[in-house]
Amino acid sequence: MNINIIAVGKIKENYIKQGIKEFEKRLSAHCKLQIIELADEKTKENASQKEIDLVLDKEGSRIEPYLDGFYNIALDIKGKKMDSIKFADKLDNLMLDGISDINFIIGGSLGLSDEILKKSDFRLSFSDMTFPHQLMRLILLEQIYRAFRIINNFPYHK
């Protein structure tokens, strides 16, 4: 299986970088993982909705070239919530359906554009809470690793 994490914004904190490296290493036994880091747009304080939409559209235009030929899962606070076992079932069912190329899309601090959300095959929410997009990358990698452990009946997930 090929998994891309398409993420807007750079990781600045070393502890997050170290965690990401750890899960990249762990996931290498289960999938081919690629992290595609895209530039984010600067957003001024108290931006108008029009300015916010412009930022989202610019970031979306950077994401769009990576979508074709992949099953695209957008991380969206309004998406479907799942526990870890249901998430593992979702990945397992995609593999059983012959889908071997998956993108997970993490937007910048403002989220994802409507256009990217419309082009996504599935919207996934981790919580009603808002997480920093840098930390979300680490959380997502850990959950993908947990899913593979569940799928393969290996200990870890409890």
Side-chain angles (χ1 to χ4, degrees):
M1 171 168 274
N2 299 308
I3 294 179
N4 291 334
I5 308 295
I6 301 172
V8 175
K10 291 193 179 295
I11 302 293
K12 298 172 186 146
E13 295 83 1
N14 280 332
Y15 73 95
I16 296 176
K17 288 178 184 178
Q18 290 171 347
I20 288 170
K21 283 182 185 176
E22 177 62 28
F23 283 105
E24 286 178 316
K25 184 174 71 175
R26 291 183 187 191
L27 281 164
S28 67
H30 302 285
C31 66
K32 181 180 175 204
L33 177 70
Q34 181 178 7
I35 296 177
I36 301 165
E37 193 172 82
L38 304 173
D40 58 349
E41 287 291 315
K42 302 292 182 234
T43 309
K44 68 180 186 178
E45 275 302 307
N46 302 317
S48 69
Q49 188 59 50
K50 185 176 181 179
E51 291 167 320
I52 289 170
D53 290 342
L54 183 60
V55 166
L56 291 172
D57 289 343
K58 285 181 180 179
E59 290 175 351
S61 69
R62 293 184 188 119
I63 295 168
E64 199 165 345
Y66 297 97
L67 302 182
D68 287 343
F70 283 80
Y71 185 89
N72 296 294
I73 299 175
L75 274 61
D76 177 20
I77 199 164
K78 296 177 185 170
K80 182 168 177 54
K81 291 177 188 67
M82 306 177 147
D83 62 24
S84 295
I85 293 172
K86 286 183 181 159
F87 179 63
D89 288 343
K90 175 74 176 171
L91 287 182
D92 195 30
N93 287 330
L94 289 172
M95 290 186 283
L96 291 172
D97 289 342
I99 295 170
S100 59
D101 299 312
I102 299 174
N103 284 331
F104 287 91
I105 309 163
I106 303 171
S109 60
L110 299 174
L112 292 166
S113 70
D114 287 340
E115 192 64 28
I116 295 301
L117 292 173
K118 286 177 193 169
K119 291 183 176 186
S120 296
D121 299 293
F122 187 77
R123 292 176 175 183
L124 176 64
S125 174
F126 275 75
S127 174
D128 288 331
M129 295 181 183
T130 302
F131 296 106
H133 58 280
Q134 295 99 345
L135 186 57
M136 195 62 236
R137 198 180 309 183
L138 177 58
I139 294 168
L140 173 61
L141 288 170
E142 190 280 334
Q143 284 298 304
I144 293 169
Y145 176 71
R146 183 180 298 269
F148 278 113
R149 301 297 288 187
I150 292 168
I151 290 165
N152 292 298
N153 295 312
F154 291 140
Y156 173 79
H157 73 282
K158 295 182 183 179

